C-alpha cells in the first residue's frame, strides 16, 4: 500500500535511474570483451610474490599494443587481455610479464578468439536476449488472456517489456559506470548470463 500511495515518487526514482543509466551507456560506451570482439587472453599466477599492477602494466606498455587490459585474479594471479596474438607475439607477452624471466610464474591458460567468432557470439547474445524478452511477453499475454478489463492481455505484455527494459538498463548502466571509473570491467559472456538471469 505504501508503494501505491507514493507511486509518483517511485516512478520518479525509476525514471531517473533509467535516464542516468542511458546517459552512462552512451557516454562511456559498452566495452566488449574478447569473447565478442576477438583477441587473446592470458591467465597467469605467481607462486612466490605477485608483482604490482603498475609494474606489469609498465612492462606491457613497452609492447605498445593498444587495448591491452590487466586484471588481478585472486591473490596470486593476473588476467591479461590483448589483441589477437601470433605465436611470436605470445612469447613476447610472456617475456614481458615475467620481466625477462626474472619473475617465477605459471601459465594457467591462453586462449585466442578470432574476430569472426567474436562477432557471431555477439550476434547470438543479442538474439538470446531478444528471444527471452519475446517469450516472456507472449507468456504474460497468454496468462492474462481472460483478463480484459480494464487492461487487455497485451497491455500486461507491454507493461512487462517496460519493466524488463528497466531491469536490464539500470544494471548495465551501473556496470558500465563501474567499468569506466573503478575496474577494467567488460561486457563478456558472464555479463550476458547475468542479464539473462535478471530477465
Amino acid at each position: 500500500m505504501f508503494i501505491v500511495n507514493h507511486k509518483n515518487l517511485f516512478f520518479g526514482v525509476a525514471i531517473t535511474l533509467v535516464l542516468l543509466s542511458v546517459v552512462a551507456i552512451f557516454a562511456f560506451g559498452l566495452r566488449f570483451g574478447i569473447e565478442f570482439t576477438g583477441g587473446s587472453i592470458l591467465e597467469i599466477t605467481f607462486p612466490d610474490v605477485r608483482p604490482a599492477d603498475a609494474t606489469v602494466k609498465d612492462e606491457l606498455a613497452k609492447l605498445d599494443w593498444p587495448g591491452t587490459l590487466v586484471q588481478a585474479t585472486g591473490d596470486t594471479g593476473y588476467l591479461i587481455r590483448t589483441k589477437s596474438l601470433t605465436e611470436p607475439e605470445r612469447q613476447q607477452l610472456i617475456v614481458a610479464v615475467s620481466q625477462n624471466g626474472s619473475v617465477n610464474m605459471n601459465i594457467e591458460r591462453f586462449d585466442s578468439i578470432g574476430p569472426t567468432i567474436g562477432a557471431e557470439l555477439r550476434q547470438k547474445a543479442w538474439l538470446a536476449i531478444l528471444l527471452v524478452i519475446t517469450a516472456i511477453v507472449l507468456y504474460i499475454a497468454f496468462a492474462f488472456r481472460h483478463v480484459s478489463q480494464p487492461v487487455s492481455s497485451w497491455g500486461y505484455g507491454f507493461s512487462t517489456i517496460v519493466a524488463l527494459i528497466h531491469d536490464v538498463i539500470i544494471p548495465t548502466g551501473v556496470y558500465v559506470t563501474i567499468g569506466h571509473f573503478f575496474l577494467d570491467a567488460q561486457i563478456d559472456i558472464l555479463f550476458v548470463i547475468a542479464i539473462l538471469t535478471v530477465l
Side-chain angles (χ1 to χ4, degrees), residues 165-195:
I165 291 172
H166 167 275
D167 293 345
V168 167
I169 287 181
I170 292 177
T172 302
V174 171
Y175 189 78
V176 166
T177 303
I178 290 173
H180 183 76
F181 288 107
F182 304 106
L183 302 171
D184 287 330
Q186 297 180 328
I187 305 296
D188 56 12
I189 292 293
L190 292 178
F191 179 81
V192 173
I193 292 172
I195 290 299

PDB file of all heavy atoms in Angstrom, residues 165-195:
ATOM      1  N   ILE A 165      12.909  -3.722 -19.655  1.00  0.00           N
ATOM      2  CA  ILE A 165      13.869  -2.695 -20.093  1.00  0.00           C
ATOM      3  C   ILE A 165      14.469  -1.995 -18.880  1.00  0.00           C
ATOM      4  O   ILE A 165      15.680  -1.775 -18.803  1.00  0.00           O
ATOM      5  CB  ILE A 165      13.187  -1.686 -21.039  1.00  0.00           C
ATOM      6  CG1 ILE A 165      12.847  -2.368 -22.376  1.00  0.00           C
ATOM      7  CG2 ILE A 165      14.071  -0.469 -21.276  1.00  0.00           C
ATOM      8  CD1 ILE A 165      12.007  -1.518 -23.308  1.00  0.00           C
ATOM      9  N   HIS A 166      13.612  -1.666 -17.926  1.00  0.00           N
ATOM     10  CA  HIS A 166      14.057  -1.045 -16.673  1.00  0.00           C
ATOM     11  C   HIS A 166      15.068  -1.943 -15.963  1.00  0.00           C
ATOM     12  O   HIS A 166      16.130  -1.497 -15.514  1.00  0.00           O
ATOM     13  CB  HIS A 166      12.827  -0.784 -15.797  1.00  0.00           C
ATOM     14  CG  HIS A 166      13.140  -0.432 -14.376  1.00  0.00           C
ATOM     15  ND1 HIS A 166      13.363  -1.400 -13.413  1.00  0.00           N
ATOM     16  CD2 HIS A 166      13.244   0.761 -13.755  1.00  0.00           C
ATOM     17  CE1 HIS A 166      13.599  -0.802 -12.259  1.00  0.00           C
ATOM     18  NE2 HIS A 166      13.528   0.499 -12.435  1.00  0.00           N
ATOM     19  N   ASP A 167      14.747  -3.248 -15.874  1.00  0.00           N
ATOM     20  CA  ASP A 167      15.587  -4.190 -15.125  1.00  0.00           C
ATOM     21  C   ASP A 167      16.905  -4.502 -15.821  1.00  0.00           C
ATOM     22  O   ASP A 167      17.843  -4.987 -15.186  1.00  0.00           O
ATOM     23  CB  ASP A 167      14.823  -5.503 -14.890  1.00  0.00           C
ATOM     24  CG  ASP A 167      13.636  -5.314 -13.957  1.00  0.00           C
ATOM     25  OD1 ASP A 167      13.576  -4.271 -13.278  1.00  0.00           O
ATOM     26  OD2 ASP A 167      12.773  -6.214 -13.912  1.00  0.00           O
ATOM     27  N   VAL A 168      16.983  -4.248 -17.134  1.00  0.00           N
ATOM     28  CA  VAL A 168      18.220  -4.502 -17.876  1.00  0.00           C
ATOM     29  C   VAL A 168      19.079  -3.244 -17.967  1.00  0.00           C
ATOM     30  O   VAL A 168      20.301  -3.295 -17.793  1.00  0.00           O
ATOM     31  CB  VAL A 168      17.903  -5.034 -19.293  1.00  0.00           C
ATOM     32  CG1 VAL A 168      19.146  -5.007 -20.164  1.00  0.00           C
ATOM     33  CG2 VAL A 168      17.355  -6.445 -19.210  1.00  0.00           C
ATOM     34  N   ILE A 169      18.453  -2.106 -18.219  1.00  0.00           N
ATOM     35  CA  ILE A 169      19.212  -0.869 -18.444  1.00  0.00           C
ATOM     36  C   ILE A 169      19.932  -0.409 -17.181  1.00  0.00           C
ATOM     37  O   ILE A 169      21.099   0.004 -17.242  1.00  0.00           O
ATOM     38  CB  ILE A 169      18.283   0.244 -18.977  1.00  0.00           C
ATOM     39  CG1 ILE A 169      17.921  -0.048 -20.435  1.00  0.00           C
ATOM     40  CG2 ILE A 169      18.957   1.609 -18.880  1.00  0.00           C
ATOM     41  CD1 ILE A 169      17.035   0.988 -21.074  1.00  0.00           C
ATOM     42  N   ILE A 170      19.263  -0.483 -16.035  1.00  0.00           N
ATOM     43  CA  ILE A 170      19.891   0.023 -14.803  1.00  0.00           C
ATOM     44  C   ILE A 170      21.142  -0.782 -14.428  1.00  0.00           C
ATOM     45  O   ILE A 170      22.210  -0.192 -14.195  1.00  0.00           O
ATOM     46  CB  ILE A 170      18.875   0.084 -13.648  1.00  0.00           C
ATOM     47  CG1 ILE A 170      17.834   1.170 -13.945  1.00  0.00           C
ATOM     48  CG2 ILE A 170      19.574   0.373 -12.318  1.00  0.00           C
ATOM     49  CD1 ILE A 170      16.735   1.283 -12.918  1.00  0.00           C
ATOM     50  N   PRO A 171      21.082  -2.133 -14.368  1.00  0.00           N
ATOM     51  CA  PRO A 171      22.329  -2.866 -14.080  1.00  0.00           C
ATOM     52  C   PRO A 171      23.422  -2.626 -15.120  1.00  0.00           C
ATOM     53  O   PRO A 171      24.601  -2.537 -14.774  1.00  0.00           O
ATOM     54  CB  PRO A 171      21.889  -4.343 -14.089  1.00  0.00           C
ATOM     55  CG  PRO A 171      20.434  -4.313 -13.826  1.00  0.00           C
ATOM     56  CD  PRO A 171      19.936  -3.051 -14.455  1.00  0.00           C
ATOM     57  N   THR A 172      23.021  -2.498 -16.397  1.00  0.00           N
ATOM     58  CA  THR A 172      24.010  -2.237 -17.446  1.00  0.00           C
ATOM     59  C   THR A 172      24.663  -0.873 -17.233  1.00  0.00           C
ATOM     60  O   THR A 172      25.889  -0.735 -17.351  1.00  0.00           O
ATOM     61  CB  THR A 172      23.353  -2.293 -18.840  1.00  0.00           C
ATOM     62  OG1 THR A 172      22.738  -3.572 -19.026  1.00  0.00           O
ATOM     63  CG2 THR A 172      24.383  -2.073 -19.932  1.00  0.00           C
ATOM     64  N   GLY A 173      23.855   0.138 -16.912  1.00  0.00           N
ATOM     65  CA  GLY A 173      24.400   1.465 -16.650  1.00  0.00           C
ATOM     66  C   GLY A 173      25.353   1.477 -15.464  1.00  0.00           C
ATOM     67  O   GLY A 173      26.418   2.109 -15.513  1.00  0.00           O
ATOM     68  N   VAL A 174      24.980   0.769 -14.398  1.00  0.00           N
ATOM     69  CA  VAL A 174      25.848   0.684 -13.217  1.00  0.00           C
ATOM     70  C   VAL A 174      27.154  -0.023 -13.571  1.00  0.00           C
ATOM     71  O   VAL A 174      28.246   0.424 -13.198  1.00  0.00           O
ATOM     72  CB  VAL A 174      25.125  -0.061 -12.065  1.00  0.00           C
ATOM     73  CG1 VAL A 174      26.089  -0.350 -10.923  1.00  0.00           C
ATOM     74  CG2 VAL A 174      23.940   0.762 -11.564  1.00  0.00           C
ATOM     75  N   TYR A 175      27.051  -1.120 -14.325  1.00  0.00           N
ATOM     76  CA  TYR A 175      28.227  -1.904 -14.716  1.00  0.00           C
ATOM     77  C   TYR A 175      29.167  -1.081 -15.589  1.00  0.00           C
ATOM     78  O   TYR A 175      30.390  -1.092 -15.393  1.00  0.00           O
ATOM     79  CB  TYR A 175      27.771  -3.156 -15.455  1.00  0.00           C
ATOM     80  CG  TYR A 175      28.860  -4.160 -15.725  1.00  0.00           C
ATOM     81  CD1 TYR A 175      29.321  -5.005 -14.718  1.00  0.00           C
ATOM     82  CD2 TYR A 175      29.432  -4.276 -16.995  1.00  0.00           C
ATOM     83  CE1 TYR A 175      30.317  -5.937 -14.964  1.00  0.00           C
ATOM     84  CE2 TYR A 175      30.427  -5.202 -17.248  1.00  0.00           C
ATOM     85  CZ  TYR A 175      30.868  -6.035 -16.232  1.00  0.00           C
ATOM     86  OH  TYR A 175      31.855  -6.952 -16.482  1.00  0.00           O
ATOM     87  N   VAL A 176      28.586  -0.352 -16.538  1.00  0.00           N
ATOM     88  CA  VAL A 176      29.402   0.485 -17.430  1.00  0.00           C
ATOM     89  C   VAL A 176      30.096   1.588 -16.639  1.00  0.00           C
ATOM     90  O   VAL A 176      31.278   1.895 -16.862  1.00  0.00           O
ATOM     91  CB  VAL A 176      28.517   1.087 -18.544  1.00  0.00           C
ATOM     92  CG1 VAL A 176      29.234   2.217 -19.261  1.00  0.00           C
ATOM     93  CG2 VAL A 176      28.119   0.012 -19.543  1.00  0.00           C
ATOM     94  N   THR A 177      29.378   2.194 -15.694  1.00  0.00           N
ATOM     95  CA  THR A 177      29.959   3.259 -14.866  1.00  0.00           C
ATOM     96  C   THR A 177      31.094   2.735 -14.007  1.00  0.00           C
ATOM     97  O   THR A 177      32.165   3.348 -13.921  1.00  0.00           O
ATOM     98  CB  THR A 177      28.870   3.890 -13.972  1.00  0.00           C
ATOM     99  OG1 THR A 177      27.810   4.380 -14.799  1.00  0.00           O
ATOM    100  CG2 THR A 177      29.442   5.039 -13.153  1.00  0.00           C
ATOM    101  N   ILE A 178      30.875   1.577 -13.373  1.00  0.00           N
ATOM    102  CA  ILE A 178      31.927   0.963 -12.562  1.00  0.00           C
ATOM    103  C   ILE A 178      33.133   0.631 -13.434  1.00  0.00           C
ATOM    104  O   ILE A 178      34.288   0.865 -13.050  1.00  0.00           O
ATOM    105  CB  ILE A 178      31.395  -0.311 -11.863  1.00  0.00           C
ATOM    106  CG1 ILE A 178      30.388   0.079 -10.776  1.00  0.00           C
ATOM    107  CG2 ILE A 178      32.531  -1.117 -11.253  1.00  0.00           C
ATOM    108  CD1 ILE A 178      29.681  -1.092 -10.140  1.00  0.00           C
ATOM    109  N   GLY A 179      32.860   0.103 -14.642  1.00  0.00           N
ATOM    110  CA  GLY A 179      33.946  -0.241 -15.551  1.00  0.00           C
ATOM    111  C   GLY A 179      34.737   0.965 -16.020  1.00  0.00           C
ATOM    112  O   GLY A 179      35.925   0.862 -16.311  1.00  0.00           O
ATOM    113  N   HIS A 180      34.075   2.110 -16.096  1.00  0.00           N
ATOM    114  CA  HIS A 180      34.756   3.324 -16.561  1.00  0.00           C
ATOM    115  C   HIS A 180      35.608   3.954 -15.465  1.00  0.00           C
ATOM    116  O   HIS A 180      36.715   4.441 -15.738  1.00  0.00           O
ATOM    117  CB  HIS A 180      33.727   4.339 -17.051  1.00  0.00           C
ATOM    118  CG  HIS A 180      34.330   5.591 -17.610  1.00  0.00           C
ATOM    119  ND1 HIS A 180      34.914   5.653 -18.855  1.00  0.00           N
ATOM    120  CD2 HIS A 180      34.447   6.836 -17.071  1.00  0.00           C
ATOM    121  CE1 HIS A 180      35.368   6.882 -19.063  1.00  0.00           C
ATOM    122  NE2 HIS A 180      35.100   7.618 -17.996  1.00  0.00           N
ATOM    123  N   PHE A 181      35.116   3.949 -14.222  1.00  0.00           N
ATOM    124  CA  PHE A 181      35.790   4.684 -13.159  1.00  0.00           C
ATOM    125  C   PHE A 181      36.638   3.819 -12.221  1.00  0.00           C
ATOM    126  O   PHE A 181      37.616   4.293 -11.670  1.00  0.00           O
ATOM    127  CB  PHE A 181      34.765   5.447 -12.310  1.00  0.00           C
ATOM    128  CG  PHE A 181      34.163   6.626 -13.018  1.00  0.00           C
ATOM    129  CD1 PHE A 181      32.861   6.584 -13.469  1.00  0.00           C
ATOM    130  CD2 PHE A 181      34.904   7.780 -13.241  1.00  0.00           C
ATOM    131  CE1 PHE A 181      32.289   7.671 -14.120  1.00  0.00           C
ATOM    132  CE2 PHE A 181      34.356   8.873 -13.892  1.00  0.00           C
ATOM    133  CZ  PHE A 181      33.047   8.814 -14.334  1.00  0.00           C
ATOM    134  N   PHE A 182      36.243   2.553 -12.031  1.00  0.00           N
ATOM    135  CA  PHE A 182      36.886   1.784 -10.965  1.00  0.00           C
ATOM    136  C   PHE A 182      37.593   0.513 -11.423  1.00  0.00           C
ATOM    137  O   PHE A 182      38.696   0.220 -10.986  1.00  0.00           O
ATOM    138  CB  PHE A 182      35.846   1.409  -9.894  1.00  0.00           C
ATOM    139  CG  PHE A 182      35.132   2.599  -9.313  1.00  0.00           C
ATOM    140  CD1 PHE A 182      33.820   2.861  -9.660  1.00  0.00           C
ATOM    141  CD2 PHE A 182      35.777   3.469  -8.452  1.00  0.00           C
ATOM    142  CE1 PHE A 182      33.146   3.956  -9.139  1.00  0.00           C
ATOM    143  CE2 PHE A 182      35.119   4.574  -7.928  1.00  0.00           C
ATOM    144  CZ  PHE A 182      33.809   4.822  -8.280  1.00  0.00           C
ATOM    145  N   LEU A 183      36.976  -0.279 -12.304  1.00  0.00           N
ATOM    146  CA  LEU A 183      37.527  -1.568 -12.696  1.00  0.00           C
ATOM    147  C   LEU A 183      37.664  -1.656 -14.207  1.00  0.00           C
ATOM    148  O   LEU A 183      37.061  -0.882 -14.933  1.00  0.00           O
ATOM    149  CB  LEU A 183      36.613  -2.716 -12.216  1.00  0.00           C
ATOM    150  CG  LEU A 183      36.328  -2.799 -10.711  1.00  0.00           C
ATOM    151  CD1 LEU A 183      35.250  -3.832 -10.458  1.00  0.00           C
ATOM    152  CD2 LEU A 183      37.590  -3.166  -9.947  1.00  0.00           C
ATOM    153  N   ASP A 184      38.444  -2.647 -14.662  1.00  0.00           N
ATOM    154  CA  ASP A 184      38.531  -2.916 -16.095  1.00  0.00           C
ATOM    155  C   ASP A 184      37.416  -3.882 -16.479  1.00  0.00           C
ATOM    156  O   ASP A 184      37.650  -4.965 -17.014  1.00  0.00           O
ATOM    157  CB  ASP A 184      39.900  -3.525 -16.450  1.00  0.00           C
ATOM    158  CG  ASP A 184      41.002  -2.492 -16.377  1.00  0.00           C
ATOM    159  OD1 ASP A 184      40.711  -1.312 -16.628  1.00  0.00           O
ATOM    160  OD2 ASP A 184      42.147  -2.854 -16.074  1.00  0.00           O
ATOM    161  N   ALA A 185      36.176  -3.507 -16.155  1.00  0.00           N
ATOM    162  CA  ALA A 185      35.028  -4.377 -16.415  1.00  0.00           C
ATOM    163  C   ALA A 185      34.623  -4.285 -17.876  1.00  0.00           C
ATOM    164  O   ALA A 185      34.541  -3.198 -18.438  1.00  0.00           O
ATOM    165  CB  ALA A 185      33.856  -3.982 -15.520  1.00  0.00           C
ATOM    166  N   GLN A 186      34.381  -5.437 -18.483  1.00  0.00           N
ATOM    167  CA  GLN A 186      33.985  -5.501 -19.881  1.00  0.00           C
ATOM    168  C   GLN A 186      32.718  -6.332 -20.025  1.00  0.00           C
ATOM    169  O   GLN A 186      32.393  -7.153 -19.168  1.00  0.00           O
ATOM    170  CB  GLN A 186      35.099  -6.126 -20.729  1.00  0.00           C
ATOM    171  CG  GLN A 186      36.386  -5.321 -20.755  1.00  0.00           C
ATOM    172  CD  GLN A 186      37.443  -5.983 -21.616  1.00  0.00           C
ATOM    173  OE1 GLN A 186      37.509  -7.195 -21.714  1.00  0.00           O
ATOM    174  NE2 GLN A 186      38.280  -5.175 -22.238  1.00  0.00           N
ATOM    175  N   ILE A 187      32.007  -6.102 -21.120  1.00  0.00           N
ATOM    176  CA  ILE A 187      30.829  -6.902 -21.421  1.00  0.00           C
ATOM    177  C   ILE A 187      31.313  -8.239 -21.971  1.00  0.00           C
ATOM    178  O   ILE A 187      31.855  -8.302 -23.072  1.00  0.00           O
ATOM    179  CB  ILE A 187      29.928  -6.205 -22.465  1.00  0.00           C
ATOM    180  CG1 ILE A 187      29.559  -4.792 -22.004  1.00  0.00           C
ATOM    181  CG2 ILE A 187      28.682  -7.039 -22.737  1.00  0.00           C
ATOM    182  CD1 ILE A 187      28.744  -4.736 -20.752  1.00  0.00           C
ATOM    183  N   ASP A 188      31.140  -9.297 -21.189  1.00  0.00           N
ATOM    184  CA  ASP A 188      31.582 -10.619 -21.614  1.00  0.00           C
ATOM    185  C   ASP A 188      30.441 -11.620 -21.479  1.00  0.00           C
ATOM    186  O   ASP A 188      29.303 -11.254 -21.210  1.00  0.00           O
ATOM    187  CB  ASP A 188      32.812 -11.053 -20.808  1.00  0.00           C
ATOM    188  CG  ASP A 188      32.556 -11.025 -19.299  1.00  0.00           C
ATOM    189  OD1 ASP A 188      31.383 -10.886 -18.888  1.00  0.00           O
ATOM    190  OD2 ASP A 188      33.523 -11.157 -18.532  1.00  0.00           O
ATOM    191  N   ILE A 189      30.759 -12.888 -21.665  1.00  0.00           N
ATOM    192  CA  ILE A 189      29.743 -13.936 -21.592  1.00  0.00           C
ATOM    193  C   ILE A 189      29.081 -13.963 -20.217  1.00  0.00           C
ATOM    194  O   ILE A 189      27.868 -14.143 -20.101  1.00  0.00           O
ATOM    195  CB  ILE A 189      30.370 -15.312 -21.903  1.00  0.00           C
ATOM    196  CG1 ILE A 189      30.807 -15.382 -23.375  1.00  0.00           C
ATOM    197  CG2 ILE A 189      29.396 -16.432 -21.598  1.00  0.00           C
ATOM    198  CD1 ILE A 189      29.657 -15.352 -24.356  1.00  0.00           C
ATOM    199  N   LEU A 190      29.861 -13.768 -19.167  1.00  0.00           N
ATOM    200  CA  LEU A 190      29.297 -13.795 -17.812  1.00  0.00           C
ATOM    201  C   LEU A 190      28.284 -12.671 -17.613  1.00  0.00           C
ATOM    202  O   LEU A 190      27.263 -12.854 -16.944  1.00  0.00           O
ATOM    203  CB  LEU A 190      30.424 -13.690 -16.768  1.00  0.00           C
ATOM    204  CG  LEU A 190      31.355 -14.893 -16.669  1.00  0.00           C
ATOM    205  CD1 LEU A 190      32.446 -14.637 -15.644  1.00  0.00           C
ATOM    206  CD2 LEU A 190      30.574 -16.149 -16.316  1.00  0.00           C
ATOM    207  N   PHE A 191      28.564 -11.510 -18.215  1.00  0.00           N
ATOM    208  CA  PHE A 191      27.614 -10.391 -18.102  1.00  0.00           C
ATOM    209  C   PHE A 191      26.317 -10.736 -18.815  1.00  0.00           C
ATOM    210  O   PHE A 191      25.233 -10.448 -18.303  1.00  0.00           O
ATOM    211  CB  PHE A 191      28.228  -9.111 -18.686  1.00  0.00           C
ATOM    212  CG  PHE A 191      27.303  -7.944 -18.635  1.00  0.00           C
ATOM    213  CD1 PHE A 191      27.142  -7.218 -17.471  1.00  0.00           C
ATOM    214  CD2 PHE A 191      26.561  -7.561 -19.745  1.00  0.00           C
ATOM    215  CE1 PHE A 191      26.292  -6.134 -17.404  1.00  0.00           C
ATOM    216  CE2 PHE A 191      25.682  -6.494 -19.692  1.00  0.00           C
ATOM    217  CZ  PHE A 191      25.559  -5.775 -18.518  1.00  0.00           C
ATOM    218  N   VAL A 192      26.413 -11.339 -19.995  1.00  0.00           N
ATOM    219  CA  VAL A 192      25.218 -11.735 -20.741  1.00  0.00           C
ATOM    220  C   VAL A 192      24.396 -12.742 -19.933  1.00  0.00           C
ATOM    221  O   VAL A 192      23.176 -12.657 -19.851  1.00  0.00           O
ATOM    222  CB  VAL A 192      25.584 -12.309 -22.124  1.00  0.00           C
ATOM    223  CG1 VAL A 192      24.352 -12.869 -22.825  1.00  0.00           C
ATOM    224  CG2 VAL A 192      26.231 -11.231 -22.981  1.00  0.00           C
ATOM    225  N   ILE A 193      25.086 -13.699 -19.309  1.00  0.00           N
ATOM    226  CA  ILE A 193      24.409 -14.684 -18.467  1.00  0.00           C
ATOM    227  C   ILE A 193      23.689 -13.993 -17.314  1.00  0.00           C
ATOM    228  O   ILE A 193      22.565 -14.343 -16.968  1.00  0.00           O
ATOM    229  CB  ILE A 193      25.406 -15.732 -17.952  1.00  0.00           C
ATOM    230  CG1 ILE A 193      25.911 -16.593 -19.120  1.00  0.00           C
ATOM    231  CG2 ILE A 193      24.764 -16.627 -16.883  1.00  0.00           C
ATOM    232  CD1 ILE A 193      27.051 -17.521 -18.741  1.00  0.00           C
ATOM    233  N   ALA A 194      24.355 -13.003 -16.719  1.00  0.00           N
ATOM    234  CA  ALA A 194      23.727 -12.261 -15.616  1.00  0.00           C
ATOM    235  C   ALA A 194      22.474 -11.530 -16.069  1.00  0.00           C
ATOM    236  O   ALA A 194      21.451 -11.548 -15.379  1.00  0.00           O
ATOM    237  CB  ALA A 194      24.744 -11.270 -15.036  1.00  0.00           C
ATOM    238  N   ILE A 195      22.524 -10.904 -17.254  1.00  0.00           N
ATOM    239  CA  ILE A 195      21.361 -10.197 -17.782  1.00  0.00           C
ATOM    240  C   ILE A 195      20.221 -11.172 -18.055  1.00  0.00           C
ATOM    241  O   ILE A 195      19.052 -10.905 -17.746  1.00  0.00           O
ATOM    242  CB  ILE A 195      21.738  -9.414 -19.060  1.00  0.00           C
ATOM    243  CG1 ILE A 195      22.645  -8.235 -18.701  1.00  0.00           C
ATOM    244  CG2 ILE A 195      20.483  -8.909 -19.775  1.00  0.00           C
ATOM    245  CD1 ILE A 195      22.038  -7.223 -17.777  1.00  0.00           C
TER     246      ILE A 195
END
